[in-house]
Amino acid sequence: VAGSSLSPATPSRFALGMASSGDWGRFFWRTSLVASSAVATGTAAAAAIVVWRRSRLLESTRSGEARSKGISWAEIAQHDRVDNAWVVIRGEVYDVAQVHDATPFIEEHPGGKLLLLAFAGRDATEPFETVGHSAVALRTLRKLHIGELAKGDGAAGGRTQEMPRSRPATLTGGRKTTKSIGDGADEALWGVTSHGFLPSRDPVGIEELHGTVFEAFAELAEMLPGLGLTGSLRQMLDNDTEMQARLLKSGQPGALEGLSEDQIERAFSVVGYTMVAYWRGGTLAYSTGVRGDSGFINIKSLEGGSCGFDDVRKTLPAFISAPMLLLSKHLQRPPMIDYANTVLYNWVRIDRNGPITMSNIRCCIRLTGLIDEEWFFKTHVVIESEAAHAVSALIAASNTEDESEMLQHLVALEEALWRVVRACLPIMYERAEDGTPKCSEHIFYQILRPLIKSGSLAFEGDDQAAGEGAGAGAAERNLAGPSGAMSSLLPCIDAALGIQMTSDKLREALAKFEVSMPFEHRRFLEKLRGAPTIRQRILLTRPVAGESKDHYEALVRSFNRVISRVLDFRWQHWQYVKNFVMKPGNISHAVGSGGTTFDFLQQHITDTEQARLTENIEAFSRCLTPGAPAWPPMRLPPVTYPPALEFWSVDGENGLLAREPLVHPKDAAWASNMPAPMLEALKSVWDLALRMPALCTANGPFVKHVEDAATRLAPMQDDRNVINMSEAAREHLMTTLCHIAAGCIGCGQRRPPRCIDKPLQVVARSVGRPPRLDHTELVLCNWDRTQPGREVHKGSQRSSGPAGTDTHANGQQVADEAEEAAGSGGEPTLHVVWRFLAMPDEEWYRAIHIYLHDEAREVVSAIRVGHVAMRDQNDHVAMGSMVKLSVWLNKFCDYFDAHFEAKDSRTESVMIRRMEPFISHGTSHDLTWEETACWVYCMGSSVLLAALHAFLGVKMCPQVETDSGEVEKMSKILNRSLDEGRVYMPRPHREFLESLEKPGVSVRQYCFRRFGAKSVSVEVLHDLEVGYNDALNALVRFLSRRAHLISRFFPHLASTFGTLHSDFEASMRHSRLQLLKMRQRVYRSLQN
């Protein structure tokens, strides 16, 4: 027994195998045998492991019958120790102490075992969803699944949700039929059709070169793994003149005559592999390959990652350089092994009629004898094979003129990319039965990567090197090693979809890689880049006023789903970089095998995110779409203008308000560049808005005044005049026209007059928001600033009358405030510009929200500082950002309280009833009181509340369980209001919110991650817990003031909304962190 070959890992394999077969007698015999072996060899720990694993298997068997009916909380609660920990996620039970890859999963949990122990025997759904997990983590989770929570057993875990079922991620096997060298002779080898970027015929083997002038290279290629790394190849060739003559013969003019396209491609690969083996072979120092306890080959530690290169050749002799230069010139590719050599044309099927899968293909040529090299390149072959479906769908979507067909092709494209991301990319991380990775990142980095990386090399007899990008020497070439950037897949997707590349350095680097692509692939990309992109063609279908938008929105949603899959692909590629280059090299800034840094990949991810189309926007303007002469004519003139980014920057000095105040057109900064007729029309619009409070009352004559002004407003009927206005001018016009249109609707009209409605539709499409009055127009862009010591602007509704008295209903108070500010040299006073009712309550409601969003610059600052601190793991600064939020929220709660106590609430409900007809403007139906109440509660399209919730990592409107139908109805309306509010947000505000909602960026997720770190002290955990909970409490208090506002505005809804808010408050208080209690539970578990 002591001399047997059984390893310490054998007991788990036997035990798990017997547990599945039920042969317990044989199981106990084998475990006893291994235990005896362990004792005999002096490894007492192995016997203990066997006993522990056997007890866990017996335990799982005893509870098997119970698990078939569901696992109770009573049983789950007993599994709260490090050696038997269970957790519940969405009603499913997982054994996190289960052995995974030869180690209990809890010991190798990326977030640390402390975080798992804190929820052992408990419901971990909330922290699991808060932290966010990758696709690889979800696959691991499924392996740990042992059962589901017993139905109706919610005593200890609260309400649970069913685990969502995902689409099956399975390989299709690529092209099923094969073609040999004689088949399909009329089809180009590298033509791009249904096979994607793989060759149109299966690659030929090395044996196809026997009997040709490249036979000598074919013989060497079959021996490279044995000769290359040891240096024997270089020694043999330098001393064998007969072999040199045979090799040199293949470099003579006319050597390629009579060879097929397939044979020439194979010759290029075998010569290239031989060149690299001669160039760098014999220079890599590594051990004899004895496997240690870790299961990895013991690589000698080498300085600077040079991998022991001690005699790299600087010049390639003529017997290799001449054939390489001849083939390079013929194929129009650099004289170096490239992506096509190592991946696209480096495979053959084992079963000629079988699919392209990892088990049915093998590499034709290899530099080493390591399975890691084989697995690495075969994975890329499978990726290219499965991506052929995406390429086919992409070509079809680019060529079709029918919108319905384009939609079908986009759906097929998304499905194909999803399969590549979920089924192909994870193959790289698969492990063998003994737990070792099939492609070790350390072996790749230390052994394979140095052989194929970029470098400089001179070719003997190379007369054209000076024109090929030479280095210091006259005949030296800079050669890029094989890289994923040489694949045509992602450049094809970017070109067809319209994903831009903002980095000039990235564009230059990728252009250098493209010269290594097969010529047909380059020509295909050039053709694709010269045609209109799918994104542009979708934008051309945008509806204008009165057109149906359903088909356009379906195209936009499908396009954005495709963009999401491309982002998934790029993020997975970035994980490849981190795992196979940065991690084993222990470096933060790495260089790829192609010779470029990876910093550009992150910029490309950002570019891909920006390619998304905006969803659920009513009727965009087609003037934003760049056109081409051959495209269908657009209904609006093709005029471009700068995007609205700075005007609505969340980091500006005015907080979340617009960058510029709303002033009279003649005093605006943009007035100097405005044509005179258009400026006069804007002045007329301003005069109409000034008359709203007086003319809109009791169905007054406001509409008639608007119709009478049609002649003066004629310049605005020309779409070009509106579109050519500056950004600030269009935003101010949007705000003013929305108020005038709402005034017409409030006077009983179904639609505003055409002289207002037409320019409103145009300017709304140009700014990217629906033509409806919302919080953006009511508050964010509807403000002006009165400087201390000067009269309020004459263009606003607070202008002075002839006798110097204020014409506003609340004028005396305003004058007093202005005088007080002037006397004290105080800050400028913010005030509302447009009103409907001229009631003090309307002024108060809008004014406090203007101040609120002006001061919100402190919120944005705290969030920005918090994100930087979390990135740097600076706990003190992160806690400071939460303290700053708490102070700000409490300050405004006190501000609201002071106003609530000083005001009479009896007129507030009257004010909101009179305001409701104006607020409903632009909606498909008159707002109900419940909808209006929810709109007021969440401040319409304001990003403030949503940003606070996203930063703290809590839901703004969590789902509640209630027996009240009215409360449930109100909850649904509130959720719908939150979703609709995003549509009316300025685009930069919406992008800011989306950046906060990305996985892993909330402060709650940061606190959970820091809890799992062993280096974090109890004191730091205490500070983080207190800082977060204080911020959460302050947010709850702030929301209670919003609920109090609803009870004052809508007394008949006070009870229903109060109940709903109480449920929200209870849910948020349940989200308070308990990091110290979690740490205590961990300590108790470890002690047990």
Side-chain angles (χ1 to χ4, degrees), residues 889-902:
L889 289 168
N890 286 319
K891 177 182 70 174
F892 266 93
C893 287
D894 296 338
Y895 180 78
F896 273 98
D897 290 343
H899 277 269
F900 285 149
E901 293 175 1

Side-chain angles (χ1 to χ4, degrees), residues 740-989:
I740 294 176
C744 294
I745 301 298
C747 290
Q749 296 292 312
R750 297 187 60 184
R751 291 183 65 89
R754 179 174 173 78
C755 61
I756 294 296
D757 188 55
K758 187 174 186 295
L760 175 59
Q761 297 292 335
V762 175
V763 74
R765 291 195 295 266
S766 72
V767 300
R769 296 195 304 275
R772 174 196 163 183
L773 188 70
D774 203 89
H775 192 80
T776 303
E777 291 73 30
L778 282 169
V779 174
L780 302 184
C781 197
N782 185 29
W783 64 277
D784 193 6
R785 179 181 286 112
T786 303
Q787 297 293 339
R790 96 171 155 81
E791 189 179 57
V792 179
H793 195 281
K794 294 182 180 181
S796 74
Q797 293 175 2
R798 286 181 175 175
S799 58
S800 298
T805 59
D806 197 293
T807 59
H808 186 269
N810 201 24
Q812 185 60 46
Q813 179 182 353
V814 175
D816 294 341
E817 291 176 354
E819 181 179 356
E820 180 181 355
S824 60
E827 293 291 330
T829 302
L830 299 176
H831 62 83
V832 182
V833 178
W834 302 133
R835 304 164 187 81
F836 295 113
L837 308 177
M839 288 180 61
D841 293 293
E842 180 190 12
E843 178 76 9
W844 168 78
Y845 172 76
R846 297 213 212 181
I848 61 172
H849 285 88
I850 289 177
Y851 278 104
L852 180 70
H853 288 81
D854 179 59
E855 293 292 328
R857 58 182 176 270
E858 296 182 14
V859 173
V860 177
S861 173
I863 291 175
R864 299 293 197 202
V865 171
H867 279 164
V868 174
M870 290 186 287
R871 182 193 63 194
D872 299 335
Q873 294 190 356
N874 190 329
D875 299 318
H876 178 73
V877 177
M879 183 185 63
S881 68
M882 291 184 280
V883 171
K884 187 174 182 180
L885 281 182
S886 303
V887 172
W888 188 90
L889 289 168
N890 286 319
K891 177 182 70 174
F892 266 93
C893 287
D894 296 338
Y895 180 78
F896 273 98
D897 290 343
H899 277 269
F900 285 149
E901 293 175 1
K903 278 184 83 285
D904 187 346
S905 64
R906 289 175 294 181
T907 57
E908 292 172 353
S909 61
V910 177
M911 180 271 296
I912 201 66
R913 286 180 180 272
R914 295 179 179 176
M915 280 277 293
E916 195 276 336
F918 304 101
I919 297 175
S920 295
H921 162 60
T923 58
S924 58
H925 62 282
D926 292 337
L927 295 178
T928 64
W929 288 118
E930 290 82 1
E931 290 173 331
T932 306
C934 291
W935 180 84
V936 172
Y937 176 81
C938 58
M939 293 187 287
S941 58
S942 171
V943 74
L944 179 59
L945 282 180
L948 287 169
H949 283 79
F951 179 68
L952 293 178
V954 293
K955 294 181 179 180
M956 185 171 176
C957 184
Q959 188 173 359
V960 297
E961 288 185 344
T962 177
D963 296 329
S964 173
E966 292 296 325
V967 174
E968 184 177 3
K969 176 183 176 182
M970 186 74 74
S971 177
K972 293 180 179 179
I973 294 175
L974 184 55
N975 276 287
R976 187 170 65 247
S977 298
L978 292 173
D979 293 337
E980 293 176 353
R982 293 172 181 260
V983 179
Y984 299 95
M985 289 181 186
R987 187 176 296 109
H989 289 196

Side-chain angles (χ1 to χ4, degrees), residues 19-31:
S20 60
S21 64
D23 193 346
W24 289 103
R26 188 166 29 164
F27 161 67
F28 284 118
W29 179 84
R30 290 187 177 180
T31 51

Side-chain angles (χ1 to χ4, degrees), residues 63 90 127 162 259 421 427 442 585 598 633 645 720 744 804 1030 1033:
S63 59
R90 301 173 189 160
E162 183 180 357
L259 296 182
V421 173
I427 293 176
H442 301 284
F598 292 114
L645 293 177
R720 193 185 299 269
C744 294
D1030 285 347
N1033 292 339

Side-chain angles (χ1 to χ4, degrees), residues 691-765:
R691 290 170 169 79
M692 280 191 300
L695 301 179
C696 288
T697 306
N699 295 330
F702 182 67
V703 177
K704 185 177 184 305
H705 277 71
V706 173
E707 293 173 344
D708 293 341
T711 303
R712 300 194 303 273
L713 303 181
M716 292 197 308
Q717 304 307 305
D718 187 348
D719 299 336
R720 193 185 299 269
N721 290 338
V722 176
I723 294 169
N724 284 334
M725 294 170 62
S726 69
E727 178 186 11
R730 284 184 283 108
E731 289 287 351
H732 290 166
L733 179 60
M734 170 78 171
T735 299
T736 305
L737 289 179
C738 278
H739 277 81
I740 294 176
C744 294
I745 301 298
C747 290
Q749 296 292 312
R750 297 187 60 184
R751 291 183 65 89
R754 179 174 173 78
C755 61
I756 294 296
D757 188 55
K758 187 174 186 295
L760 175 59
Q761 297 292 335
V762 175
V763 74
R765 291 195 295 266

Side-chain angles (χ1 to χ4, degrees), residues 154-173:
R159 190 175 55 84
T160 58
Q161 300 177 0
E162 183 180 357
M163 179 78 75
R165 302 189 181 275
S166 59
R167 293 175 286 181
T170 57
L171 300 179
T172 64

Side-chain angles (χ1 to χ4, degrees), residues 284-292 296-300 370 447:
L284 184 61
Y286 67 100
S287 73
T288 57
V290 178
R291 288 188 178 271
F296 297 100
I297 290 180
N298 296 322
I299 303 173
K300 293 182 179 179
L370 300 170
I447 297 180

